[in-house]
Amino acid sequence: MEQLQRWRLILGKEVEEELQQLNDGEQLLSEEQLLMDKTLSEIYGSQRFSKIGANGEGSKSAGKGKSFPNVSKWFGDIQTLFDKDIVQIIQNDAIERCGLKELLLEPEILETIEPNISLASSLLALKDNVPQKSKQSVRIFIRKIVEDINKKLSEEVRKVISSQHNKNAHSPIPLASAIDFKYTIRKNLKNYSSELNTIIPEKVYFFDRDSKNDTNKWTIILDVDQSGSMGESVIYSSVLSCILASISSLKTKVVAFDDEVVDLTKKLDDPVDLLYGFNLGGGTNINKSLKYCQTLIENPSKTILFLVTDLYEGGNVSEMLQRLEFMKQSGVKVVCLLAISDNGTPCYDHQLAKKVGNLNIPCFACSPNNLPELLDCAINDKDMKHLAN
């Protein structure tokens, strides 16, 4: 019975009579399964819409099928019937197959859609064309995505940074993650207990924090490609930038580039405002952005540059590589991220990526879940090969 139900849902209504005969003429699908079949057929069935207009009514494929009078209800149905991951796939297919991009700009539709980063990226690309009545709904939708990413990354990123201490001085402030174990053991050897077979310390020594010395702060620069193909990477980069900017022991800079270069550091107080500072689309001039980033470097040995780009350079490639090599040799820790995404292998310039890699600059795509570990590896000169997507 279960196998017949699965085949009915896969093959559609056209095979219902044949499959019912195999089930002694009994109806195969439950009420919930019938609703599931109905919602899926609107997108994947032979009578699905070829296009849906802004009023929610669709043009029918080959003159068949019925109208699509309530898109909001349809979005609500799929969220009730399917798991979250499946919902996102169906939503994305609906947008591509049925021309729902216009409907994404309607406030009542946005309120019913399950937020996901792919849709948020599409909205950011369309943000300049959003009608006034939908602007607030679009911001709320994007903020949901931002808050979700922030929850996943913030704590782990802070742990990485809090573990960095000035090991040339000690602090009177007790902090478990800052214990100088070697010094504490050495100073308390006299308090060894043979009965307990351990040292009983009279005093524990703690490393001082880098934050007390402004010249000792790490500067982290995110140089982010805002060409149209980098939408998801822009979102993850923006959230990470704002998390880093909120940590007092760091100096964080964020730069956006296509054919032009824009310093967005002043917008780091709010990741949504920062995202709205990006303009997805346009060309790519990595060399020009690197030239600007060089002006932001004060202490090369305490600077990390994350270059987030697919490396489809429209500027001077030779000069770009020379700038990267110069930064590397001056002590800057440079990492090239071809994408920050979980969506499989990204599209990028393989030839240029190989040349960047030949400069001993890590060059790979990274899962957003690996960003805290990536930061740890960059600060502590650890190998990053295991982080590559």
Side-chain angles (χ1 to χ4, degrees):
M1 174 67 170
E2 184 177 347
Q3 286 187 333
L4 290 175
Q5 289 175 331
R6 287 177 178 271
W7 280 113
R8 165 61 182 82
L9 289 170
I10 291 170
L11 298 175
K13 194 172 183 179
E14 289 80 358
V15 300
E16 186 166 12
E17 289 186 11
E18 291 87 342
L19 292 177
Q20 272 191 209
Q21 290 177 6
L22 297 176
N23 194 43
D24 297 327
E26 297 292 328
Q27 181 171 309
L28 289 170
L29 303 182
S30 65
E31 290 299 318
E32 182 178 4
Q33 288 171 329
L34 285 170
L35 180 57
M36 186 183 295
D37 180 62
K38 179 183 176 183
T39 58
L40 291 176
S41 67
E42 302 287 9
I43 301 301
Y44 305 108
S46 61
Q47 298 182 358
R48 67 176 174 84
F49 296 99
S50 58
K51 196 76 174 174
I52 298 175
N55 62 358
E57 295 181 355
S59 59
K60 301 161 190 173
S61 178
K64 297 179 180 180
K66 50 191 176 180
S67 65
F68 205 146
N70 195 334
V71 181
S72 295
K73 181 180 183 304
W74 181 82
F75 277 117
D77 286 342
I78 65 169
Q79 291 180 60
T80 300
L81 293 166
F82 301 98
D83 292 336
K84 187 174 181 178
D85 291 344
I86 303 300
V87 168
Q88 293 184 2
I89 293 171
I90 296 173
Q91 286 179 173
N92 290 335
D93 285 349
I95 291 168
E96 295 303 321
R97 292 171 178 244
C98 300
L100 289 177
K101 285 188 177 179
E102 295 87 352
L103 290 177
L104 285 176
L105 306 181
E106 296 295 330
E108 63 274 13
I109 302 301
L110 284 172
E111 292 169 5
T112 65
I113 295 176
E114 180 73 30
N116 69 79
I117 194 163
S118 179
L119 294 182
S121 176
S122 296
L123 284 173
L124 283 170
L126 294 168
K127 64 183 173 63
D128 293 334
N129 298 316
V130 175
Q132 188 62 40
K133 65 178 181 178
S134 297
K135 288 184 182 295
Q136 185 61 25
S137 296
V138 169
R139 285 186 73 95
I140 291 172
F141 183 90
I142 291 172
R143 188 169 293 280
K144 288 178 182 178
I145 294 294
V146 165
E147 290 175 351
D148 184 54
I149 297 171
N150 188 71
K151 286 178 184 177
K152 293 177 181 177
L153 293 181
S154 183
E155 184 177 352
E156 292 303 313
V157 168
R158 290 177 181 279
K159 283 181 181 178
V160 168
I161 301 304
S162 68
S163 68
Q164 306 305 313
H165 306 283
N166 179 1
K167 299 185 179 182
N168 297 317
H170 288 98
S171 169
I173 302 173
L175 183 66
S177 63
I179 295 175
D180 184 345
F181 286 100
K182 290 183 178 179
Y183 192 80
T184 297
I185 291 171
R186 187 166 67 248
K187 296 294 283 185
N188 287 279
L189 283 173
K190 62 183 179 180
N191 300 315
Y192 178 78
S193 169
S194 56
E195 184 179 342
L196 297 175
N197 196 30
T198 190
I199 293 172
I200 303 175
E202 288 182 354
K203 182 178 180 179
V204 178
Y205 295 84
F206 302 89
F207 290 123
D208 197 7
R209 285 183 168 277
D210 284 348
S211 59
K212 289 187 176 180
N213 186 353
D214 191 65
T215 61
N216 213 23
K217 286 184 176 182
W218 281 99
T219 296
I220 299 180
I221 303 170
L222 286 98
D223 190 20
V224 185
D225 185 343
Q226 62 177 355
S227 57
S229 60
M230 298 296 292
E232 293 189 23
S233 298
V234 164
I235 294 175
Y236 284 119
S237 298
S238 295
V239 177
L240 177 62
S241 298
C242 290
I243 294 171
L244 295 173
S246 69
I247 300 174
S248 61
S249 59
L250 297 176
K251 289 186 285 186
T252 304
K253 310 287 185 181
V254 60
V255 175
F257 69 90
D258 43 36
D259 290 319
E260 301 299 327
V261 179
V262 182
D263 192 325
L264 297 176
T265 303
K266 291 183 179 180
K267 294 182 177 289
L268 282 171
D269 289 337
D270 186 325
V272 176
D273 286 343
L274 177 59
L275 281 170
Y276 270 73
F278 283 88
N279 289 300
L280 293 174
T284 306
N285 195 324
I286 305 171
N287 181 51
K288 183 184 286 189
S289 73
L290 290 175
K291 182 179 180 180
Y292 177 78
C293 288
Q294 285 180 302
T295 68
L296 304 177
I297 299 171
E298 299 172 356
N299 183 354
S301 64
K302 297 290 289 186
T303 300
I304 301 172
L305 172 71
F306 290 111
L307 175 61
V308 186
T309 178
D310 54 16
L311 291 176
Y312 285 110
E313 172 66 317
N316 189 320
V317 172
S318 177
E319 196 171 302
M320 183 207 90
L321 291 170
Q322 289 175 11
R323 290 188 190 280
L324 287 174
E325 186 176 19
F326 176 82
M327 288 184 186
K328 176 79 175 176
Q329 291 179 349
S330 69
V332 176
K333 298 181 179 182
V334 183
V335 180
C336 180
L337 297 177
L338 302 168
I340 305 175
S341 173
D342 279 323
N343 293 334
T345 304
C347 181
Y348 63 94
D349 188 321
H350 290 258
Q351 186 176 1
L352 189 50
K354 185 176 181 179
K355 291 180 179 179
V356 172
N358 288 340
L359 299 175
N360 289 321
I361 293 174
C363 185
F364 57 91
C366 182
S367 164
N369 293 332
N370 289 336
L371 288 175
E373 189 176 358
L374 172 68
L375 189 63
D376 179 48
C377 290
I379 291 175
N380 294 299
D381 288 322
K382 297 179 182 178
D383 192 284
M384 300 181 186
K385 291 180 182 177
H386 63 290
L387 299 176
N389 267 6

